[in-house]
Amino acid sequence: MDFSTLLQNVQRRPGSYGLDGSYREFVAFINGCDAIQDWAPLGGFREWLAERLGRGANLVWWELVRQICTAELGIEKSAPEDEALCSRMFALVAEFLARETA
C-alpha cells in the first residue's frame, strides 16, 4: 500500500489503526510511517509548508500545518478545532504527495 492510500485509510477509519482521531495521534502515526520509509515520503514537506505560509522552515511540519489552518480560518491567537486541523493536515499532505508524484 502506498503512503497516500494508507493516509486516506487512516483518516477515514482511525480506530482501525489504534488511533483516537486526534491531531496529536495522527501526527505521531504519520511521523512513524515517514520514519519507517527513511523520511522519503514527506521529504521537503516542511519546506513546502513554510513557503506556502511565507515563513522560514525552522518549525516542525505539524506546527506549520497548525499555523496555516489558523491563518486560513482567520482565528486570532486561539487554536483551531482538532477536527478542522486534522482535515486540513490530511488535505495538505495529500496535495504535497500529489505534487511529488506528478
Side-chain angles (χ1 to χ4, degrees):
M1 179 182 317
D2 71 341
F3 199 68
S4 293
T5 303
L6 173 63
L7 294 184
Q8 288 170 4
N9 291 340
V10 167
Q11 182 181 15
R12 193 172 22 256
R13 300 191 60 186
S16 297
Y17 294 86
L19 305 176
D20 66 7
S22 69
Y23 186 66
R24 179 182 57 82
E25 286 200 4
F26 281 138
V27 167
F29 182 86
I30 292 169
N31 269 340
C33 291
D34 194 33
I36 287 170
Q37 297 181 44
D38 292 326
W39 309 104
L42 295 181
F45 183 53
R46 181 174 49 95
E47 294 80 5
W48 181 78
L49 290 170
E51 183 179 318
R52 184 182 192 112
L53 190 59
R55 297 200 180 141
N58 60 336
L59 296 173
V60 293
W61 68 261
W62 54 89
E63 180 56 31
L64 290 167
V65 167
R66 184 182 306 279
Q67 289 186 15
I68 287 170
C69 189
T70 300
E72 289 175 353
L73 294 175
I75 301 171
E76 297 289 326
K77 301 187 185 181
S78 66
E81 293 293 323
D82 218 41
E83 187 175 329
L85 188 55
C86 291
S87 177
R88 190 64 184 122
M89 174 195 61
F90 279 108
L92 286 166
V93 170
E95 184 180 338
F96 175 77
L97 292 173
R99 270 187 79 206
E100 294 298 304
T101 58

XYZ file of all heavy atoms in Angstrom:
809
model
N 0.853 -1.170 0.000
C 0.000 0.000 0.000
C 0.900 1.234 0.000
O 1.831 1.328 0.787
C -0.875 -0.030 1.258
C -1.789 1.138 1.384
S -2.816 1.177 2.894
C -3.372 -0.477 3.073
N 0.600 2.165 -0.902
C 1.421 3.374 -0.957
C 1.030 4.331 0.176
O -0.003 4.187 0.819
C 1.330 4.041 -2.332
C -0.012 4.694 -2.613
O -1.005 4.362 -1.945
O -0.057 5.553 -3.506
N 1.880 5.312 0.404
C 1.729 6.256 1.508
C 0.406 7.018 1.425
O -0.290 7.172 2.425
C 2.931 7.210 1.509
C 3.151 7.929 2.803
C 3.552 7.251 3.936
C 2.983 9.300 2.879
C 3.768 7.923 5.137
C 3.200 9.978 4.065
C 3.596 9.288 5.192
N 0.042 7.493 0.240
C -1.206 8.252 0.062
C -2.431 7.415 0.414
O -3.335 7.893 1.116
C -1.342 8.740 -1.383
O -0.369 9.693 -1.666
N -2.461 6.194 -0.059
C -3.593 5.308 0.227
C -3.674 5.001 1.714
O -4.760 5.002 2.299
C -3.473 4.001 -0.578
O -3.389 4.335 -1.969
C -4.643 3.075 -0.336
N -2.534 4.758 2.334
C -2.501 4.499 3.768
C -3.098 5.677 4.534
O -3.939 5.494 5.411
C -1.065 4.247 4.228
C -0.864 4.120 5.736
C -1.608 2.916 6.292
C 0.614 4.051 6.064
N -2.693 6.890 4.195
C -3.194 8.059 4.910
C -4.687 8.283 4.677
O -5.400 8.695 5.594
C -2.388 9.303 4.531
C -0.926 9.279 4.967
C -0.248 10.591 4.627
C -0.768 8.962 6.439
N -5.165 7.988 3.491
C -6.610 8.085 3.227
C -7.369 7.107 4.123
O -8.409 7.447 4.698
C -6.913 7.796 1.763
C -6.473 8.884 0.825
C -6.569 8.450 -0.643
O -7.036 7.358 -0.959
N -6.103 9.308 -1.527
N -6.842 5.898 4.240
C -7.481 4.882 5.084
C -7.444 5.273 6.558
O -8.428 5.076 7.281
C -6.820 3.524 4.888
C -7.080 2.937 3.523
O -8.034 3.320 2.836
N -6.229 2.024 3.096
N -6.326 5.817 6.998
C -6.180 6.236 8.391
C -7.152 7.369 8.707
O -7.783 7.372 9.762
C -4.719 6.666 8.682
C -4.606 7.401 10.005
C -3.808 5.459 8.668
N -7.277 8.319 7.791
C -8.197 9.428 8.020
C -9.641 8.936 8.087
O -10.414 9.378 8.924
C -8.059 10.476 6.918
C -8.967 11.680 7.127
C -8.848 12.713 6.030
O -8.311 12.445 4.965
N -9.347 13.905 6.297
N -9.977 8.031 7.219
C -11.345 7.520 7.143
C -11.697 6.649 8.356
O -12.807 6.715 8.868
C -11.504 6.717 5.850
C -12.906 6.393 5.468
C -13.058 5.769 4.083
N -11.901 5.115 3.509
C -11.130 5.635 2.531
N -11.396 6.807 2.029
N -10.101 4.972 2.059
N -10.734 5.833 8.809
C -11.014 4.886 9.900
C -9.870 4.855 10.907
O -9.131 3.865 10.993
C -11.235 3.505 9.313
C -12.423 3.495 8.327
C -12.818 2.148 7.934
N -13.194 1.437 9.156
C -13.502 0.158 9.176
N -13.510 -0.537 8.086
N -13.836 -0.430 10.299
N -9.688 5.926 11.678
C -8.557 5.975 12.618
C -8.573 4.850 13.653
O -7.512 4.328 14.022
C -8.690 7.342 13.285
C -10.060 7.820 12.990
C -10.513 7.125 11.753
N -9.757 4.451 14.099
C -9.849 3.390 15.104
C -9.279 2.069 14.626
O -8.763 1.281 15.415
N -9.327 1.824 13.332
C -8.776 0.588 12.768
C -7.257 0.538 12.904
O -6.662 -0.528 12.783
C -9.146 0.462 11.291
O -10.538 0.363 11.144
N -6.658 1.693 13.127
C -5.202 1.784 13.274
C -4.804 2.092 14.715
O -3.664 2.458 14.986
C -4.651 2.848 12.321
C -4.822 2.452 10.870
C -5.999 2.736 10.186
C -3.824 1.754 10.202
C -6.179 2.347 8.866
C -3.989 1.362 8.888
C -5.178 1.657 8.226
O -5.347 1.265 6.920
N -5.762 1.967 15.626
C -5.490 2.200 17.040
C -5.385 3.663 17.415
O -4.812 3.990 18.450
N -5.952 4.538 16.594
C -5.873 5.972 16.850
C -7.219 6.500 17.322
O -8.269 5.964 16.967
C -5.457 6.711 15.570
C -4.159 6.239 14.909
C -3.925 6.990 13.606
C -2.982 6.403 15.841
N -7.179 7.589 18.084
C -8.423 8.174 18.584
C -8.947 9.310 17.700
O -9.973 9.903 18.003
C -8.259 8.647 20.030
C -7.273 9.807 20.189
O -6.793 10.367 19.177
O -6.977 10.159 21.357
N -8.242 9.619 16.618
C -8.683 10.663 15.706
C -8.229 12.057 16.080
O -8.668 13.031 15.481
N -7.350 12.161 17.065
C -6.846 13.471 17.470
C -5.660 13.878 16.595
O -4.968 13.041 16.006
C -6.409 13.456 18.937
O -5.246 12.657 19.099
N -5.445 15.166 16.511
C -4.330 15.705 15.724
C -3.006 15.119 16.214
O -2.181 14.688 15.431
C -4.326 17.234 15.825
C -3.305 17.898 14.932
C -3.414 17.830 13.549
C -2.247 18.608 15.472
C -2.489 18.447 12.726
C -1.322 19.234 14.652
C -1.445 19.154 13.285
O -0.532 19.761 12.466
N -2.838 15.084 17.523
C -1.603 14.573 18.124
C -1.315 13.143 17.683
O -0.197 12.823 17.282
C -1.723 14.652 19.647
C -0.529 14.146 20.411
C -0.757 14.223 21.915
N -1.928 13.507 22.370
C -1.957 12.191 22.594
N -0.890 11.468 22.413
N -3.064 11.616 23.021
N -2.317 12.287 17.698
C -2.099 10.893 17.322
C -1.892 10.732 15.823
O -1.086 9.908 15.400
C -3.247 10.017 17.822
C -3.169 9.815 19.319
C -3.941 8.608 19.799
O -4.500 7.855 18.978
O -3.962 8.420 21.026
N -2.616 11.506 15.020
C -2.385 11.454 13.576
C -0.957 11.868 13.243
O -0.295 11.251 12.425
C -3.370 12.354 12.822
C -4.739 11.764 12.630
C -5.864 12.561 12.800
C -4.925 10.438 12.260
C -7.144 12.054 12.597
C -6.199 9.914 12.055
C -7.304 10.723 12.226
N -0.481 12.938 13.872
C 0.890 13.419 13.624
C 1.897 12.336 14.005
O 2.831 12.048 13.247
C 1.174 14.732 14.389
C 2.663 15.052 14.406
C 0.387 15.884 13.772
N 1.723 11.709 15.160
C 2.642 10.650 15.595
C 2.625 9.481 14.612
O 3.679 8.941 14.258
C 2.275 10.175 17.000
N 1.447 9.100 14.158
C 1.324 7.992 13.209
C 2.018 8.332 11.891
O 2.787 7.533 11.351
C -0.152 7.677 12.962
C -0.369 6.512 12.041
C -0.385 5.217 12.540
C -0.544 6.696 10.680
C -0.569 4.133 11.693
C -0.735 5.622 9.827
C -0.743 4.334 10.332
N 1.749 9.521 11.361
C 2.351 9.932 10.090
C 3.862 10.016 10.220
O 4.596 9.564 9.331
C 1.743 11.266 9.610
C 0.277 11.055 9.212
C 2.545 11.858 8.461
C -0.500 12.335 8.980
N 4.350 10.561 11.329
C 5.804 10.613 11.539
C 6.410 9.225 11.597
O 7.490 8.983 11.050
C 6.138 11.373 12.828
C 6.349 12.828 12.591
O 6.609 13.266 11.471
N 6.246 13.614 13.639
N 5.728 8.311 12.264
C 6.229 6.942 12.343
C 6.300 6.282 10.973
O 7.289 5.631 10.633
N 5.260 6.461 10.180
C 5.247 5.888 8.826
C 6.314 6.515 7.948
O 6.955 5.834 7.145
C 3.871 6.073 8.188
S 2.593 5.078 8.970
N 6.526 7.813 8.106
C 7.556 8.517 7.355
C 8.948 8.006 7.772
O 9.811 7.762 6.929
C 7.429 10.019 7.586
C 8.216 10.862 6.614
O 8.361 10.467 5.436
O 8.673 11.947 7.012
N 9.140 7.814 9.069
C 10.423 7.331 9.579
C 10.752 5.927 9.070
O 11.888 5.642 8.695
C 10.419 7.337 11.107
N 9.742 5.060 9.038
C 9.952 3.693 8.560
C 10.464 3.689 7.124
O 11.216 2.809 6.729
C 8.634 2.889 8.676
C 8.347 2.576 10.132
C 8.683 1.610 7.861
C 6.965 1.998 10.383
N 10.063 4.694 6.360
C 10.467 4.780 4.953
C 11.641 5.750 4.763
O 11.783 6.384 3.722
C 9.270 5.190 4.100
C 8.158 4.161 4.152
C 6.986 4.552 3.279
O 7.154 5.000 2.154
N 5.785 4.370 3.799
N 12.483 5.868 5.804
C 13.676 6.724 5.772
C 13.371 8.176 5.429
O 14.126 8.831 4.718
C 14.731 6.166 4.811
C 15.325 4.864 5.293
O 15.459 4.698 6.521
O 15.644 4.012 4.452
N 12.254 8.664 5.904
C 11.844 10.067 5.764
C 11.634 10.484 4.312
O 11.584 11.671 3.991
C 12.843 11.003 6.450
C 13.123 10.599 7.852
C 14.256 9.979 8.299
C 12.282 10.734 8.998
N 14.157 9.731 9.646
C 12.959 10.182 10.105
C 11.006 11.261 9.193
C 12.413 10.147 11.371
C 10.464 11.230 10.469
C 11.170 10.683 11.540
N 11.469 9.534 3.427
C 11.309 9.840 1.998
C 9.932 10.404 1.630
O 9.869 11.377 0.884
C 11.617 8.602 1.159
N 8.829 9.826 2.118
C 7.526 10.313 1.650
C 7.291 11.799 1.905
O 6.723 12.494 1.074
C 6.516 9.469 2.431
C 7.260 8.233 2.794
C 8.682 8.670 2.997
N 7.729 12.296 3.050
C 7.491 13.698 3.389
C 8.751 14.545 3.284
O 8.811 15.642 3.852
C 6.878 13.814 4.789
C 5.485 13.222 4.947
C 4.968 13.425 6.368
C 4.519 13.810 3.939
N 9.740 14.061 2.556
C 10.947 14.849 2.327
C 10.602 16.136 1.602
O 10.008 16.105 0.535
N 10.918 17.279 2.197
C 10.614 18.575 1.603
C 9.254 19.138 2.007
O 8.920 20.266 1.649
N 8.473 18.370 2.756
C 7.139 18.811 3.149
C 7.201 20.053 4.036
O 6.455 21.012 3.836
C 6.405 17.670 3.859
C 4.982 17.962 4.249
C 4.056 18.422 3.326
C 4.546 17.760 5.557
C 2.738 18.680 3.674
C 3.234 18.002 5.914
C 2.331 18.463 4.975
N 8.095 20.041 5.003
C 8.234 21.173 5.917
C 8.582 22.443 5.148
O 7.982 23.505 5.350
C 9.294 20.874 6.977
C 9.500 21.983 7.985
C 10.468 21.539 9.080
N 11.670 20.956 8.551
C 12.807 21.631 8.339
N 12.878 22.909 8.612
N 13.864 21.018 7.863
N 9.519 22.333 4.225
C 9.928 23.489 3.430
C 8.782 23.980 2.539
O 8.580 25.180 2.380
C 11.158 23.134 2.587
C 12.409 22.859 3.397
C 12.483 21.461 4.005
O 11.590 20.628 3.730
O 13.428 21.205 4.770
N 8.041 23.037 1.978
C 6.892 23.366 1.131
C 5.836 24.121 1.935
O 5.269 25.115 1.463
C 6.337 22.068 0.545
C 5.177 22.206 -0.367
C 5.187 22.594 -1.678
C 3.800 21.926 -0.044
N 3.903 22.570 -2.190
C 3.033 22.164 -1.213
C 3.152 21.486 1.094
C 1.657 21.981 -1.258
C 1.774 21.309 1.046
C 1.056 21.551 -0.119
N 5.575 23.665 3.159
C 4.614 24.344 4.021
C 5.103 25.733 4.407
O 4.322 26.692 4.411
C 4.367 23.523 5.297
C 3.613 22.218 5.150
C 3.674 21.422 6.456
C 2.170 22.462 4.733
N 6.384 25.847 4.737
C 6.941 27.138 5.136
C 6.844 28.145 3.996
O 6.506 29.307 4.214
C 8.391 26.968 5.581
N 7.115 27.686 2.788
C 6.999 28.566 1.622
C 5.552 29.001 1.430
O 5.266 30.164 1.150
C 7.507 27.850 0.369
C 7.499 28.709 -0.870
C 8.038 27.972 -2.071
O 9.048 27.263 -1.939
O 7.420 28.087 -3.151
N 4.659 28.080 1.590
C 3.229 28.371 1.442
C 2.769 29.397 2.482
O 1.959 30.264 2.201
C 2.458 27.063 1.609
C 0.991 27.190 1.400
C 0.342 25.823 1.636
N -1.003 25.845 1.173
C -1.465 25.169 0.128
N -0.678 24.369 -0.526
N -2.709 25.270 -0.233
N 3.315 29.291 3.677
C 2.957 30.189 4.769
C 3.710 31.517 4.679
O 3.294 32.508 5.257
C 3.233 29.499 6.111
C 2.742 30.139 7.388
C 1.221 30.310 7.368
C 3.145 29.301 8.588
N 4.812 31.510 3.943
C 5.616 32.722 3.817
C 6.532 32.949 5.003
O 6.858 34.084 5.344
N 6.961 31.865 5.630
C 7.851 31.949 6.788
C 9.033 31.019 6.595
O 9.022 30.170 5.724
C 7.106 31.541 8.058
C 5.978 32.463 8.355
C 5.567 32.358 9.786
N 4.459 33.275 10.009
C 3.432 33.006 10.759
N 3.357 31.866 11.381
N 2.473 33.876 10.909
N 10.007 31.141 7.458
C 11.163 30.252 7.416
C 10.781 28.841 7.811
O 9.774 28.616 8.480
N 11.594 27.902 7.383
C 11.316 26.484 7.637
C 11.969 26.007 8.932
O 12.495 24.905 9.008
C 11.792 25.648 6.453
N 11.912 26.840 9.961
C 12.553 26.460 11.216
C 11.590 25.819 12.215
O 11.961 25.515 13.328
C 13.232 27.675 11.857
C 12.248 28.788 12.169
O 11.193 28.879 11.563
N 12.616 29.637 13.107
N 10.341 25.598 11.809
C 9.361 24.926 12.662
C 9.101 23.518 12.142
O 9.286 23.243 10.965
C 8.038 25.704 12.678
C 8.077 27.106 13.285
C 6.745 27.803 13.069
C 8.427 27.055 14.758
N 8.638 22.648 13.022
C 8.270 21.301 12.604
C 7.025 21.384 11.732
O 6.226 22.319 11.836
C 8.032 20.373 13.817
C 9.334 20.119 14.564
C 6.981 20.937 14.748
N 6.844 20.381 10.869
C 5.758 20.459 9.892
C 4.385 20.546 10.543
O 3.506 21.230 10.050
C 5.835 19.316 8.872
C 5.560 17.934 9.377
C 6.480 16.991 9.710
C 4.278 17.326 9.566
N 5.850 15.833 10.114
C 4.493 16.023 10.036
C 2.963 17.763 9.398
C 3.461 15.143 10.329
C 1.917 16.886 9.698
C 2.183 15.596 10.156
N 4.177 19.856 11.683
C 2.850 19.866 12.297
C 2.507 21.234 12.887
O 1.348 21.595 12.936
C 2.671 18.740 13.308
C 3.707 18.670 14.376
C 3.683 19.297 15.589
C 4.920 17.916 14.330
N 4.824 18.986 16.299
C 5.600 18.136 15.552
C 5.501 17.081 13.386
C 6.829 17.545 15.844
C 6.726 16.494 13.677
C 7.373 16.728 14.888
N 3.498 21.999 13.284
C 3.222 23.370 13.747
C 2.950 24.288 12.558
O 2.105 25.182 12.641
C 4.380 23.907 14.592
C 4.162 25.314 15.102
C 2.883 25.500 15.923
O 2.420 24.573 16.598
O 2.336 26.630 15.880
N 3.629 24.067 11.459
C 3.344 24.844 10.249
C 1.922 24.582 9.763
O 1.220 25.510 9.347
C 4.369 24.528 9.156
C 5.786 25.049 9.414
C 6.770 24.422 8.435
C 5.826 26.560 9.340
N 1.485 23.332 9.816
C 0.105 22.999 9.442
C -0.866 23.742 10.356
O -1.855 24.325 9.894
C -0.153 21.475 9.495
C -1.640 21.162 9.416
C 0.610 20.764 8.391
N -0.578 23.750 11.643
C -1.433 24.455 12.612
C -1.514 25.940 12.269
O -2.587 26.538 12.278
C -0.908 24.257 14.034
C -1.783 24.880 15.108
C -1.183 24.703 16.497
N -0.874 23.337 16.832
C -1.755 22.429 17.278
N -3.018 22.784 17.436
N -1.382 21.209 17.577
N -0.384 26.539 11.932
C -0.371 27.966 11.604
C -1.102 28.257 10.291
O -1.802 29.264 10.179
C 1.061 28.481 11.560
C 1.683 28.543 12.930
C 3.058 29.181 12.933
O 3.462 29.830 11.983
N 3.785 28.995 14.029
N -0.962 27.378 9.315
C -1.696 27.544 8.053
C -3.189 27.461 8.309
O -3.975 28.285 7.830
C -1.250 26.489 7.012
C 0.154 26.829 6.494
C -2.239 26.394 5.857
C 0.789 25.736 5.654
N -3.608 26.471 9.074
C -5.027 26.288 9.383
C -5.563 27.496 10.149
O -6.644 28.008 9.843
C -5.221 24.997 10.174
S -6.946 24.532 10.406
N -4.824 27.966 11.116
C -5.235 29.122 11.902
C -5.379 30.351 11.010
O -6.368 31.079 11.096
C -4.213 29.400 13.022
O -4.152 28.260 13.869
C -4.601 30.610 13.846
N -4.421 30.566 10.108
C -4.470 31.715 9.202
C -5.650 31.609 8.241
O -6.349 32.599 7.989
C -3.156 31.820 8.421
N -5.890 30.429 7.714
C -6.982 30.241 6.762
C -8.359 30.411 7.406
O -9.291 30.889 6.764
C -6.886 28.860 6.108
C -5.737 28.746 5.146
C -5.569 27.346 4.583
O -6.262 26.415 5.019
O -4.729 27.193 3.699
N -8.463 30.014 8.647
C -9.740 30.138 9.339
C -9.942 31.526 9.933
O -11.010 31.830 10.446
C -9.855 29.083 10.449
C -9.917 27.629 9.987
C -9.896 26.702 11.190
C -11.143 27.387 9.141
N -8.888 32.350 9.864
C -8.982 33.700 10.391
C -9.073 33.748 11.899
O -9.673 34.646 12.471
N -8.480 32.771 12.548
C -8.526 32.706 14.007
C -7.328 33.481 14.560
O -6.194 33.227 14.186
C -8.460 31.244 14.497
C -9.627 30.447 13.931
C -8.439 31.182 16.009
C -9.527 28.960 14.187
N -7.598 34.419 15.428
C -6.511 35.136 16.102
C -5.984 34.267 17.234
O -6.604 33.527 17.732
C -7.038 36.455 16.682
C -7.538 37.398 15.634
C -6.423 37.989 14.792
O -5.333 38.216 15.327
O -6.658 38.199 13.605
N -4.923 34.143 17.622
C -4.309 33.545 18.798
C -4.922 32.270 19.381
O -4.327 31.665 20.222
C -4.183 34.579 19.901
C -3.353 35.756 19.476
C -3.083 36.680 20.611
C -2.348 37.903 20.099
N -2.025 38.844 21.082
N -6.118 31.870 19.026
C -6.637 30.619 19.574
C -6.372 29.488 18.579
O -6.223 29.721 17.393
C -8.133 30.719 19.876
O -8.846 30.867 18.683
N -6.319 28.298 19.081
C -6.018 27.144 18.230
C -7.264 26.699 17.475
O -8.374 26.776 17.999
C -5.502 26.000 19.093
N -7.080 26.227 16.237
C -8.234 25.697 15.501
C -8.755 24.421 16.154
O -8.034 23.732 16.859
C -7.675 25.418 14.106
C -6.201 25.350 14.272
C -5.847 26.161 15.477
N -9.998 24.120 15.918
C -10.586 22.883 16.434
C -9.824 21.686 15.873
O -9.372 21.705 14.733
C -12.056 22.801 16.040
C -12.930 23.836 16.684
C -13.057 23.632 18.182
O -13.115 22.486 18.640
O -13.083 24.649 18.887
N -9.721 20.636 16.664
C -8.979 19.445 16.268
C -9.484 18.863 14.943
O -8.694 18.480 14.095
C -9.061 18.402 17.384
C -7.769 17.635 17.568
O -6.694 18.248 17.500
O -7.848 16.411 17.782
N -10.789 18.828 14.773
C -11.359 18.238 13.555
C -10.959 19.034 12.314
O -10.564 18.465 11.298
C -12.880 18.166 13.664
C -13.520 17.415 12.534
C -15.020 17.260 12.729
O -15.479 17.172 13.876
O -15.718 17.218 11.701
N -11.047 20.359 12.392
C -10.650 21.217 11.266
C -9.160 21.089 11.002
O -8.716 21.030 9.848
C -11.014 22.669 11.547
N -8.389 21.013 12.053
C -6.936 20.890 11.934
C -6.551 19.561 11.284
O -5.719 19.529 10.373
C -6.313 21.023 13.318
C -4.809 21.101 13.414
C -4.245 22.228 12.563
C -4.403 21.293 14.868
N -7.177 18.481 11.703
C -6.892 17.163 11.117
C -7.275 17.133 9.641
O -6.506 16.647 8.806
C -7.648 16.068 11.872
S -7.056 15.792 13.550
N -8.426 17.666 9.335
C -8.887 17.693 7.949
C -7.925 18.479 7.071
O -7.556 18.044 5.976
C -10.287 18.302 7.902
O -10.726 18.396 6.578
N -7.492 19.635 7.553
C -6.572 20.468 6.771
C -5.220 19.786 6.633
O -4.587 19.854 5.580
C -6.430 21.850 7.422
C -5.707 22.834 6.552
C -6.520 23.089 5.278
N -5.793 23.955 4.380
C -5.467 23.627 3.124
N -5.859 22.492 2.598
N -4.791 24.462 2.379
N -4.751 19.123 7.685
C -3.473 18.419 7.633
C -3.497 17.344 6.552
O -2.587 17.264 5.727
C -3.143 17.776 8.977
C -1.888 16.917 8.938
S -1.707 15.836 10.357
C -3.162 14.820 10.243
N -4.542 16.531 6.530
C -4.623 15.474 5.527
C -4.712 16.058 4.120
O -4.116 15.518 3.182
C -5.798 14.538 5.810
C -5.500 13.512 6.865
C -6.069 13.599 8.121
C -4.631 12.460 6.610
C -5.792 12.659 9.099
C -4.335 11.511 7.583
C -4.921 11.615 8.833
N -5.417 17.162 3.971
C -5.516 17.812 2.657
C -4.155 18.337 2.200
O -3.780 18.181 1.030
C -6.535 18.947 2.697
N -3.403 18.931 3.113
C -2.082 19.453 2.764
C -1.109 18.320 2.420
O -0.352 18.422 1.457
C -1.523 20.308 3.906
C -2.169 21.676 4.071
C -1.794 22.288 5.420
C -1.767 22.600 2.923
N -1.133 17.253 3.202
C -0.261 16.106 2.915
C -0.620 15.515 1.547
O 0.262 15.227 0.740
C -0.340 15.036 4.032
C 0.379 13.765 3.602
C 0.241 15.560 5.321
N -1.907 15.355 1.282
C -2.347 14.799 0.007
C -1.910 15.701 -1.154
O -1.440 15.204 -2.189
C -3.856 14.612 -0.014
N -2.053 17.005 -0.990
C -1.641 17.939 -2.041
C -0.142 17.847 -2.288
O 0.315 17.822 -3.422
C -2.021 19.369 -1.638
C -1.724 20.400 -2.693
C -2.105 21.804 -2.278
O -2.960 21.985 -1.365
O -1.535 22.747 -2.858
N 0.628 17.765 -1.201
C 2.084 17.648 -1.328
C 2.468 16.348 -2.027
O 3.287 16.349 -2.945
C 2.742 17.723 0.046
C 4.228 17.481 0.013
C 5.090 18.480 -0.421
C 4.764 16.256 0.393
C 6.458 18.257 -0.470
C 6.126 16.031 0.353
C 6.974 17.034 -0.084
N 1.884 15.242 -1.596
C 2.223 13.953 -2.195
C 1.820 13.903 -3.674
O 2.536 13.316 -4.489
C 1.562 12.817 -1.417
C 2.088 12.592 -0.005
C 1.255 11.555 0.727
C 3.558 12.231 0.005
N 0.705 14.520 -4.018
C 0.265 14.556 -5.428
C 1.252 15.359 -6.272
O 1.554 14.979 -7.417
C -1.131 15.157 -5.528
N 1.777 16.431 -5.725
C 2.765 17.242 -6.441
C 4.048 16.466 -6.658
O 4.678 16.572 -7.700
C 3.118 18.492 -5.614
C 2.251 19.672 -5.881
C 2.761 20.896 -5.179
N 3.874 21.462 -5.944
C 4.828 22.194 -5.429
N 4.848 22.471 -4.154
N 5.785 22.681 -6.184
N 4.433 15.700 -5.662
C 5.684 14.951 -5.727
C 5.607 13.795 -6.730
O 6.606 13.390 -7.277
C 6.067 14.431 -4.348
C 6.407 15.533 -3.358
C 7.604 16.349 -3.799
O 8.668 15.765 -4.038
O 7.465 17.586 -3.887
N 4.419 13.240 -6.926
C 4.277 12.096 -7.827
C 3.889 12.494 -9.240
O 3.894 11.676 -10.131
C 3.247 11.089 -7.288
O 1.998 11.732 -7.129
C 3.699 10.478 -5.978
N 3.517 13.767 -9.417
C 3.082 14.228 -10.748
C 4.268 14.481 -11.671
O 5.364 14.614 -11.335
C 2.257 15.496 -10.605
